[in-house]
Amino acid sequence: MANIDDRSTSSPAKAARPVSAGWRRRLQQYGIIVAFVVLCIALSVASPYFLATQNLLNVLRQSSINGILAMGMTFVILTRGIDLSVGSLVGLAGVVGASFVTTSSVAGLPGAPYVAIVGILAAIVVGLLAGAVSGTVVSRFKVPSFVVTLGMLSSARGLAMLYTGGRPIPSLTPSFRWIGTGEVLGVPTPIILLLVIYAICWWVLGKTRYGRYVYAIGGNPRAAATSGINVPWIRFSVYAVSGALAGIAGVLLAARTGAGLTQAGLSYELDAIAAVVIGGTSLSGGIGTVTGSLFGTLIIAVMNNGLDLLGVDSNYQQIIKGLMIVVAVLLDTSRRKEAE
């Protein structure tokens, strides 16, 4: 075993190597948090309105939907997959949930306020079933997830159009809208919901056998199968989880806007993938955390808000977001090469 004397007799280059590795490891673990803090400090200096309580609550409220989608996307990407359908599932789940809770559909029903629960559950079930279909095709028929979820993206949007005839579903009940616009002790309900889902996902991935299996499959699928892990089942389940969370996001969006819209959630899948990648989850699977995805979501939301406050054109915001994704992927590629 190495002792202090052993280290003192080592060459300077050899002594510096573990120190450098330690700093690199800490940077990989906490770099996303440091980047978030630095961004907040810079924006607070650039704009006096950034740190206003109402502005910060708005940022968190607006990031809640993307954050929930990013939680599910983290599970999928950790298994070397991708889910391009979550944006369309937000729209489909939203119109299905909204159709149960329009004031015209529940008028005169006993216990009408509680019909909101039925609408919420219906939206989640729709997302869960769509995710289960994608998961079945990916895990059982070995079709690349990119192709499967791209097909689901188109199919879900088409189903939403057929279900509504292309018309919005307005006049949602107040009890349903509360889930997207209400507050508990001054904290908006979408923020509370995001934190609850984050805590559950953090516990599942970090503290349960299921979470270890997800990481194992992403790290080495063959080794995972050899060790007895039911790889098809785990792969199926992560898409079901992602779909169910897209259903919750659909409820929040419909409740916040006050209507079920067929075009709701358009391109949300790109923001969710961006949040996960910026948060440090490897597109090659096996590496990443929901905490990183949460801060990736917050960085995108804070950056958008700060650039809005500074009057930067939205097109430049898209360019900056794209550059951030490219840099995150380059860092991931460099990290994997070092590991090899």
Side-chain angles (χ1 to χ4, degrees), residues 154-167:
S154 178
S155 300
R157 192 67 70 186
L159 285 172
M161 291 290 290
L162 286 174
Y163 187 73
T164 63
R167 294 183 292 274

Side-chain angles (χ1 to χ4, degrees), residues 30-205:
Y30 305 111
I32 185 69
I33 299 175
V34 173
F36 175 71
V37 172
V38 170
L39 180 62
C40 288
I41 293 173
L43 291 175
S44 65
V45 172
S47 172
Y49 305 106
F50 177 73
L51 287 181
T53 303
Q54 194 57 46
N55 181 59
L56 294 178
L57 285 176
N58 284 336
V59 171
L60 291 173
R61 183 189 289 112
Q62 291 167 2
S63 64
S64 58
I65 292 176
N66 189 33
I68 291 171
L69 294 176
M71 295 296 109
M73 191 69 73
T74 305
F75 279 76
V76 175
I77 292 180
L78 280 174
T79 60
R80 301 190 177 191
I82 197 83
D83 190 349
L84 299 177
S85 66
V86 292
S88 294
L89 295 186
V90 167
L92 177 61
V95 296
V96 171
S99 67
F100 280 80
V101 293
T102 58
T103 51
S104 58
S105 66
V106 302
L109 290 177
Y114 302 103
V115 176
I117 297 174
V118 177
I120 293 170
L121 291 177
I124 295 173
V125 169
V126 165
L128 175 67
L129 290 176
V133 170
S134 296
T136 300
V137 178
V138 170
S139 61
R140 182 156 181 91
F141 300 103
K142 315 292 185 189
V143 180
S145 58
F146 176 85
V147 177
V148 175
T149 56
L150 187 61
M152 182 58 74
L153 177 152
S154 178
S155 300
R157 192 67 70 186
L159 285 172
M161 291 290 290
L162 286 174
Y163 187 73
T164 63
R167 294 183 292 274
I169 302 177
S171 305
L172 307 184
T173 60
S175 54
F176 182 82
R177 293 207 63 191
W178 179 85
I179 195 73
T181 59
E183 294 182 352
V184 176
L185 300 176
V187 181
T189 47
I191 299 174
I192 296 173
L193 196 56
L194 170 62
L195 293 177
V196 169
I197 291 173
Y198 159 74
I200 294 172
C201 292
W202 176 87
W203 177 76
V204 170
L205 276 180

Side-chain angles (χ1 to χ4, degrees), residues 8 24 32 49 104-105 124 131 148 160 169 172 182 210 212 223 236 238 249 253-254 266 303 315 319 337:
S8 65
R24 192 180 298 119
I32 185 69
Y49 305 106
S104 58
S105 66
I124 295 173
V148 175
I169 302 177
L172 307 184
Y210 175 83
R212 292 194 293 275
F236 161 82
V238 295
L253 188 56
L266 198 64
M303 184 195 69
N315 293 323
I319 293 172
K337 286 182 178 178

